[in-house]
Amino acid sequence: MLEIRHLETIAAIRDGGSLQEAAERLHLTQSALSHQLRDLETRLGTPLLNRRTRPARLTTAGLRVLALADEVLPRVRATERELQRLAAGRTGRLHLAIDCHSCFQWLMPSMDNFRGQWPEVALDLSAAFSFAPLPALVRGDLDLVITSDPQPLEAVDYIPLFKYELVLAVSESHPLASTKYVQPEQLADQVLITYPVERSRLDVFTAFLDPAEVEPASVRKAELTPIIVQLVASNRGVAALPNWALTEYLQHGWLQLCHLGQNGVWRTLYAALRTEDADAPYIQDFLSIARETCFKTLDGIRSVKA
């Protein structure tokens, strides 16, 4: 029975102090306002205004409707303003996740820059979906996923950020440390350290070992890049990681890097997002900021040619 206009009418009567003032506030004639009020009273089966008093006063039922108006109308107006800002592209939500643990050195500066330019966008980096972020993107739990493993999903777009080389990290004292590039069979007697994800999502297998039908001696899993680096540096195994993710560790003299094959293994890092959000101005600006930050801060990456 109750509509937004009815709540606005009761609030205007309270605020204006009379039917005439309320009608002016609502840009109605007094006759039209009286008709609307009587129609509502008929539908509710109870009077909302005591017309015998001067000025007319709200009845107990009218005060109850007024309490509802005071609760609902501010929320309606706030939502309308939010929708207007959304339509203008000035606000929204950008919840991110990464499925590679090496993205922090460029992602965090990108987010800081973005916050300064889009303060009304709710920005958050979630660790809850690190190993299965794409289903969360489809469900709407996330708005953007940084991934090197694009999967064919309906209504999901993959926007390339940059190309990088997957390289083999070995310790300074490892027998392969002086080797410029390795062949798959040279890993047959090695412990391969990887992130704890499915084999089908690990490029060292799909692009290097599997085509040559080579298996490492064993596989050890670790969740974080610094832990993997420490294991490699202490001769617990070898690891295939993005070249740019290892730059800071090379400066300490802990590692040596080898190309995977004579031509190397190159992969592309993508920003995955829902197709419906792809044209949002704040998302487009985030992608622009991210690319700019990447090429300022990362070594050994290449642009993706259209």
Side-chain angles (χ1 to χ4, degrees), residues 79-142:
T79 301
E80 288 174 342
R81 289 192 296 270
E82 178 73 9
L83 292 173
Q84 289 170 352
R85 290 196 295 271
L86 276 171
R90 294 195 301 272
T91 188
R93 191 193 76 166
L94 187 53
H95 287 186
L96 300 90
I98 54 178
D99 71 355
C100 54
H101 290 274
S102 308
C103 295
F104 290 101
Q105 56 264 67
W106 64 266
L107 184 58
M108 300 309 290
S110 298
M111 292 176 66
D112 290 341
N113 190 346
F114 180 81
R115 280 193 185 96
Q117 299 187 34
W118 294 87
E120 294 186 81
V121 172
L123 183 65
D124 187 37
L125 178 61
S126 173
F129 308 99
S130 296
F131 298 108
L134 291 176
L137 175 67
V138 174
R139 290 195 307 268
D141 297 326
L142 296 170

Side-chain angles (χ1 to χ4, degrees), residues 25-90:
R25 287 170 178 257
L26 296 172
H27 306 290
L28 297 172
T29 65
Q30 185 173 344
S31 174
L33 181 62
S34 296
H35 177 76
Q36 179 188 117
L37 186 61
R38 289 190 182 279
D39 178 64
L40 177 59
E41 289 174 326
T42 299
R43 291 162 63 182
L44 293 175
T46 185
L48 300 176
L49 194 67
N50 186 347
R51 295 171 178 80
R52 298 176 182 175
T53 63
R54 290 292 181 270
R57 297 182 182 277
L58 292 172
T59 64
T60 300
L63 291 172
R64 181 63 188 89
V65 175
L66 178 62
L68 177 64
D70 287 341
E71 178 182 347
V72 171
L73 291 179
R75 296 175 61 184
V76 170
R77 288 163 187 153
T79 301
E80 288 174 342
R81 289 192 296 270
E82 178 73 9
L83 292 173
Q84 289 170 352
R85 290 196 295 271
L86 276 171
R90 294 195 301 272

Side-chain angles (χ1 to χ4, degrees), residues 221-242:
K221 298 182 184 296
E223 291 189 357
L224 301 176
T225 303
I227 295 177
I228 293 177
V229 169
Q230 290 290 339
L231 291 170
V232 170
S234 58
N235 279 314
R236 306 292 183 85
V238 300
L241 295 169

Side-chain angles (χ1 to χ4, degrees), residues 215-292:
E215 288 289 325
S218 63
V219 175
R220 180 172 181 172
K221 298 182 184 296
E223 291 189 357
L224 301 176
T225 303
I227 295 177
I228 293 177
V229 169
Q230 290 290 339
L231 291 170
V232 170
S234 58
N235 279 314
R236 306 292 183 85
V238 300
L241 295 169
N243 55 350
W244 51 269
L246 297 169
T247 303
E248 62 181 295
Y249 303 108
L250 292 176
Q251 297 171 355
H252 297 291
W254 297 345
L255 306 174
Q256 288 292 330
L257 305 184
C258 308
H259 299 289
L260 294 174
Q262 190 169 1
N263 298 320
V265 172
W266 285 84
R267 282 293 180 259
T268 300
L269 194 68
Y270 296 90
L273 46 91
R274 290 183 295 277
T275 303
E276 65 191 68
D277 298 330
D279 294 329
Y282 63 90
I283 288 183
Q284 288 295 318
D285 200 35
F286 177 82
L287 296 176
S288 177
I289 290 171
R291 288 194 189 95
E292 182 179 354

